[in-house]
Amino acid sequence: MTIDGLALRYSIELPDWVADELKNVPDILPTREDRMALVHRLAARNFVEGNGGPFAAIVVERETGHLVSIGVNVVLASGVSSAHAEVVALGMAQTRVGGWDLGGRDVAAHELVVNWRPCVQCYGATLWSGVTSLVVAGSGPELEEITTFDEGPMVDDWAQQFEARGISVLDGVLRDEAIAVFRDYATHTAAGKAPVYNARGTS
């Protein structure tokens, strides 16, 4: 066998419209509400643009709120199943700081902000990323009930597992706004405008 028939690389890129959404966004997002509001804005546009699901995430410097990176779900746009918003945001942040550990020595403490509790894949990605805090809009069953996404076999003590590894968890920031985005997405998919690409019961 030769290597010629194998894919040797893949890349994940943010869609062009993200630049438009950032035009009036300050470099510093001082409050958790400021940070989550940007996440909701990106998530609400993402599925309309056809990139993927109604998910977005950002990484900021925890204490200052300095915006380090952005991620949106680009599963549909990239054809890569792991291209979830958290994975994209964390990878972009690690690229920007020049290393895999966002909590390493001489690196500012970093915070991941996402519009719902991470799925089982993003749970692991967040655990090993080096962030020191996670902020989510919500963590209940509403996401799966509204969108029909399958978030995977998440452990019941997911938040405690983060805390045990030095990652603080803040739940419930702008929760109603997150649910509103999910409802808009459900309407969008019901109209046949996008697939729910990992819904339960599909093969």
Side-chain angles (χ1 to χ4, degrees), residues 71-187:
V72 294
N73 182 295
V74 289
V75 169
L76 295 179
S78 66
V80 176
S81 65
S82 61
H84 290 195
E86 298 96 315
V87 172
V88 174
L90 292 168
M92 296 294 185
Q94 290 159 339
T95 299
R96 183 167 178 181
V97 305
W100 52 267
D101 188 356
L102 295 174
R105 184 177 299 179
D106 300 324
V107 175
H110 286 79
E111 176 171 279
L112 176 66
V113 184
V114 60
N115 58 323
W116 209 252
R117 181 214 69 196
C119 72
V120 67
Q121 171 193 252
C122 296
Y123 175 61
T126 303
L127 280 178
W128 309 132
S129 68
V131 297
T132 58
S133 60
L134 170 67
V135 178
V136 297
S139 59
E142 293 88 350
L143 167 60
E144 291 182 294
E145 291 171 352
I146 295 168
T147 67
T148 73
F149 272 110
D150 183 353
E151 296 293 275
M154 180 60 74
V155 295
D156 291 337
D157 64 343
W158 64 273
Q160 292 90 334
Q161 291 294 334
F162 277 128
E163 297 277 358
R165 290 165 173 79
I167 303 169
S168 66
V169 177
L170 178 61
D171 192 350
V173 178
L174 301 185
R175 181 180 182 277
D176 291 344
E177 289 84 344
I179 290 175
V181 172
F182 299 151
R183 292 193 188 284
D184 288 344
Y185 174 75
T187 300

